[in-house]
Amino acid sequence: MELEMEMNRREVVVQEESCDGEKWVHDSSVDHKGRVPLRASTGIWKASSFIIMIEFSERLSYFGIATNLISYLTRVIHQDLKTAVKNVNYWAGVTTLMPLLGGLLADAYTGRFTMVLFSSLVYLMGLCLFTMSQFIPSLKPYSEGTSQRPRKIHEVVFFLGLYFISVGTGGHKPCLESFGADQFDDDHSEERKKKMSYFNWWNFALSCGLLLGVTVIVYVQDYVSWGVADLILTLSMAIAVVTFYVGKPYYRYRIPEGSPLTPMFQVLVAAIRKRNLPVPTNPALLYEVPKSQKPQRRLLGHTSRLRFLDKAATIEEKDRISIEQNPWRLATVTTVEETKLILNMIPVWLTSLTFGICIAQTTTFFIKQAASMNLNITENFKIPPASINALGAIAMIISVTVYDKILVPMLRKATGNERGINILQRIGIGMLFSVVAMSVAALVEMKRLRAVEKEIIQGGKTGPLSLSVFWLAPQIIIIGLGDGFAVVGLQEYFYDQVPDSMRSLGIAFYLSVLGAGSFLSSFLIIVVDHVTEKGGRSWFAQNVNECRLDNFYWLLAAMSGLNLCVFVMLAIKYTYKNVQRRIIG
């Protein structure tokens, strides 16, 4: 009788907890007034729609600038091709490495909402400088009636605006995406599935911004006015910032917990101090937050990798006396596992860099190739060279839509995995696409060089080739399809597999793959240029028709293929984050 009463009491408690969990969100987030969020009126798609809108506007601005930047540097500022490519890569590198600083500051001190708002205003200032440099007479590129070397003041204002955008992106990009993902409760089964779709629809909006940026904005830049294009981008960003702020009551917020790096250093110090101590064979003997205490964050289960770090959670007699008083000597299992996550992330980050190098070609050499080809769609209408990247945006939109709506439901049934396939498997598929894309790019460039030989060198033709720019379509479409796997997979991996307190920094890690890829692309160009110049003829020249980009693309294809083999071996052995969940719904 007593046993039956106890079972009934426990059942009532579970039901009460479940009802409470359905009404309120108990995942350490708060609403805009600092209270526990009400599930019905905060978060999920209601909140994330405001966040996705500002992402669309920011990507419209970014790609409208980035994809045509090399044209501006060569045609308006009159830089040679090698210098312009290096400047584009340096800017892209800084822009995608700055989020490491912005993400760290947001996670530790400011919170994501405040960082997004501040950095969006800095971004807007950069766009305002662009607009001013085109409309204020004393800041315009040239004096009235001249088209010589641009004014130095214009170059200063232009590059100042460019790097204001880098700083703005540094806080905007890592925090906005992670802030959007924070609107979904991982402990609620339905919201967790919606979060997996969130990354796909985030990239859908990103691709739409890219598509309009490389078509409408680039067309206005090339055939109407750079100033009009800059004004459109500035107004679009201003409206998006206001809209983002209006959504404030609907958001769920995470309170910053101080530097997320300090606990990692504490684990390393504690493990080194106890290096001679044997690790218990039973993980239950390792120290964790006592059950009598309510944990402030989700707890992680023990894993068998990097067992040396388990020494940090091994309890000594002196620890029993003053337990929890010295985190530099005794760490919890959760903190140890979070440190393991970061260390295991390093090989994945390193093997993703080659993919970043391939992506860097889409905004540099691909566009210069397009500029040398026949851009006519009809007899009276031709597209800007940068607009060829619209095909990549369309391919990515198709890729993420088909993946989310068709492949994931099918794969869930086939594998029993709620994601369909593992995150690293998705990234690996995208990397395979990049190998194919670089191989196709090499074959197309060989055909373009044959046309150069026939029409320009032998035929004496001046101006663009008769070869259609749409010969570049296959390589760009393949890269776009691959982005739907690799780029989205990298975003999901670096958000999901980092400690909960480092999620802005996690998105910054993903962006740093692309940033480091841009820097490495520039470095690789310098090395290859030096080596091939000694051999008699450099692969790179001021005129794209004198370059041997086909050889460079074959090199990238070979590097990507070897890198993919290493990545697959890492993925097979990888152990994913082991969260102790409190399932609701």
Side-chain angles (χ1 to χ4, degrees):
M1 186 70 177
E2 290 181 4
L3 180 60
E4 185 177 346
M5 290 175 64
E6 176 63 18
M7 289 177 66
N8 290 336
R9 186 188 68 80
R10 289 184 180 180
E11 186 176 343
V12 170
V13 169
V14 169
Q15 288 175 352
E16 287 177 350
E17 287 181 350
S18 179
C19 291
D20 185 62
E22 282 291 348
K23 185 176 181 181
W24 305 97
V25 182
H26 297 289
D27 66 346
S28 303
S29 60
V30 296
D31 65 9
H32 70 291
K33 293 184 177 179
R35 305 168 303 191
V36 176
L38 190 64
R39 192 178 297 280
S41 60
T42 63
I44 53 176
W45 296 118
K46 183 188 298 182
S48 59
S49 58
F50 289 97
I51 297 166
I52 288 174
M53 180 179 175
I54 193 172
E55 168 65 8
F56 166 80
S57 178
E58 189 274 333
R59 290 292 90 180
L60 174 70
S61 299
Y62 178 82
F63 286 112
I65 294 164
T67 51
N68 219 18
L69 179 57
I70 194 163
S71 297
Y72 193 87
L73 295 177
T74 52
R75 284 162 43 191
V76 179
I77 300 183
H78 299 311
Q79 292 183 345
D80 62 75
L81 180 58
K82 275 196 289 189
T83 303
V85 168
K86 287 176 188 176
N87 278 329
V88 171
N89 282 332
Y90 289 149
W91 175 73
V94 170
T95 304
T96 43
L97 287 177
M98 279 297 294
L100 291 171
L101 177 60
L104 179 61
L105 291 174
D107 285 338
Y109 306 111
T110 66
R112 286 160 200 156
F113 175 81
T114 303
M115 180 59 77
V116 169
L117 197 58
F118 169 75
S119 57
S120 296
L121 294 174
V122 174
Y123 200 114
L124 189 58
M125 287 172 62
L127 292 173
C128 288
L129 285 173
F130 277 170
T131 306
M132 290 163 58
S133 72
Q134 298 295 330
F135 286 105
I136 296 177
S138 60
L139 299 180
K140 285 185 175 182
Y142 312 108
S143 303
E144 289 296 328
T146 66
S147 58
Q148 307 302 315
R149 290 286 301 173
R151 291 170 168 166
K152 205 68 184 172
I153 185 65
H154 174 79
E155 290 190 49
V156 170
V157 173
F158 177 78
F159 279 102
L160 188 63
L162 204 58
Y163 282 93
F164 257 85
I165 287 173
S166 293
V167 174
T169 305
H172 187 282
K173 200 70 180 121
C175 301
L176 189 65
E177 186 170 358
S178 54
F179 185 56
D182 287 344
Q183 306 309 310
F184 302 85
D185 182 3
D186 267 327
D187 288 333
H188 192 281
S189 57
E190 287 303 313
E191 288 196 20
R192 191 169 66 254
K193 287 180 180 177
K194 289 175 182 177
K195 178 187 271 192
M196 295 170 194
S197 292
Y198 161 78
F199 285 100
N200 292 321
W201 293 111
W202 170 274
N203 282 278
F204 182 91
L206 182 155
S207 299
C208 289
L210 190 161
L211 180 60
L212 287 178
V214 301
T215 52
V216 176
I217 300 301
V218 167
Y219 184 86
V220 172
Q221 288 169 342
D222 283 0
Y223 299 121
V224 181
S225 163
W226 289 89
V228 172
D230 292 337
L231 186 60
I232 293 170
L233 297 180
T234 304
L235 292 174
S236 170
M237 191 67 185
I239 293 168
V241 172
V242 173
T243 305
F244 174 73
Y245 188 79
V246 168
K248 187 178 179 180
Y250 303 105
Y251 301 142
R252 298 173 187 171
Y253 304 83
R254 296 298 177 110
I255 299 171
E257 303 174 9
S259 174
L261 300 179
T262 302
M264 312 297 159
F265 289 121
Q266 290 173 339
V267 168
L268 294 173
V269 170
I272 292 170
R273 277 182 169 180
K274 299 179 181 181
R275 58 189 176 277
N276 297 321
L277 200 67
V279 178
T281 53
N282 184 0
L285 298 176
L286 298 173
Y287 175 65
E288 185 53 282
V289 177
K291 292 183 179 179
S292 57
Q293 280 184 272
K294 187 177 179 180
Q296 298 298 309
R297 54 182 173 170
R298 296 189 300 168
L299 301 181
L300 301 183
H302 176 265
T303 59
S304 58
R305 57 190 174 183
L306 298 173
R307 285 185 57 81
F308 173 78
L309 295 178
D310 290 342
K311 293 176 184 288
T314 303
I315 303 174
E316 291 183 291
E317 284 304 318
K318 59 184 73 175
D319 295 326
R320 297 180 191 280
I321 298 170
S322 57
I323 205 158
E324 261 195 306
Q325 292 181 2
N326 188 356
W328 294 92
R329 185 165 190 92
L330 181 64
T332 64
V333 170
T334 294
T335 309
V336 170
E337 289 301 318
E338 287 177 344
T339 307
K340 291 179 182 180
L341 286 174
I342 298 301
L343 293 177
N344 277 282
M345 203 166 276
I346 294 171
V348 175
W349 186 86
L350 290 172
T351 50
S352 301
L353 293 178
T354 309
F355 176 77
I357 295 174
C358 295
I359 294 296
Q361 310 315 310
T362 60
T363 54
T364 53
F365 288 130
F366 282 15
I367 294 173
K368 292 309 293 182
Q369 287 174 277
S372 72
M373 301 170 78
N374 181 3
L375 296 165
N376 287 350
I377 293 181
T378 65
E379 191 174 328
N380 300 316
F381 180 77
K382 65 179 183 179
I383 62 170
S387 292
I388 192 66
N389 278 320
L391 296 172
I394 294 169
M396 189 173 180
I397 289 170
I398 294 170
S399 179
V400 296
T401 305
V402 170
Y403 184 84
D404 188 76
K405 294 299 182 183
I406 299 175
L407 290 181
V408 169
M410 288 171 55
L411 290 169
R412 276 176 180 162
K413 291 179 182 178
T415 65
N417 185 335
E418 64 181 359
R419 294 184 186 278
I421 55 176
N422 291 331
I423 300 175
L424 293 184
Q425 289 175 333
R426 183 174 187 175
I427 296 170
I429 292 170
M431 288 182 174
L432 180 60
F433 273 98
S434 71
V435 177
V436 177
M438 289 299 104
S439 301
V440 171
L443 293 171
V444 171
E445 178 61 6
M446 290 170 69
K447 181 175 181 63
R448 194 188 71 86
L449 289 177
R450 285 196 294 271
V452 169
E453 176 73 24
K454 182 179 178 181
E455 296 180 21
I456 296 178
I457 297 175
Q458 295 178 5
K461 183 180 180 181
T462 57
L465 301 168
S466 61
L467 190 69
S468 172
V469 71
F470 289 102
W471 275 96
L472 299 176
Q475 66 205 55
I476 292 170
I477 290 171
I478 293 168
I479 282 184
L481 293 172
D483 284 353
F485 288 89
V487 169
V488 182
L490 285 167
Q491 290 171 359
E492 196 171 355
Y493 171 77
F494 283 110
Y495 175 86
D496 188 74
Q497 293 301 303
V498 295
D500 290 357
S501 61
M502 295 178 66
R503 282 179 160 169
S504 297
L505 199 55
I507 295 297
F509 289 152
Y510 143 70
L511 292 167
S512 70
V513 169
L514 305 181
S518 293
F519 279 123
L520 287 173
S521 179
S522 288
F523 177 72
L524 189 61
I525 290 169
I526 292 169
V527 172
V528 170
D529 183 43
H530 179 72
V531 172
T532 53
E533 199 170 37
K534 281 187 174 181
R537 181 191 170 187
S538 172
W539 288 359
F540 308 104
Q542 185 167 349
N543 187 334
V544 72
N545 290 334
E546 298 172 7
C547 295
R548 288 304 307 270
L549 294 181
D550 55 332
N551 291 338
F552 185 61
Y553 292 150
W554 282 124
L555 175 64
L556 291 180
M559 288 172 58
S560 299
L562 292 172
N563 179 76
L564 179 59
C565 295
V566 177
F567 181 84
V568 168
M569 289 189 287
L570 284 172
I572 291 171
K573 296 180 180 179
Y574 191 84
T575 305
Y576 289 89
K577 188 176 183 179
N578 180 17
V579 180
Q580 297 180 17
R581 297 189 188 278
R582 180 177 63 91
I583 301 299
I584 299 167

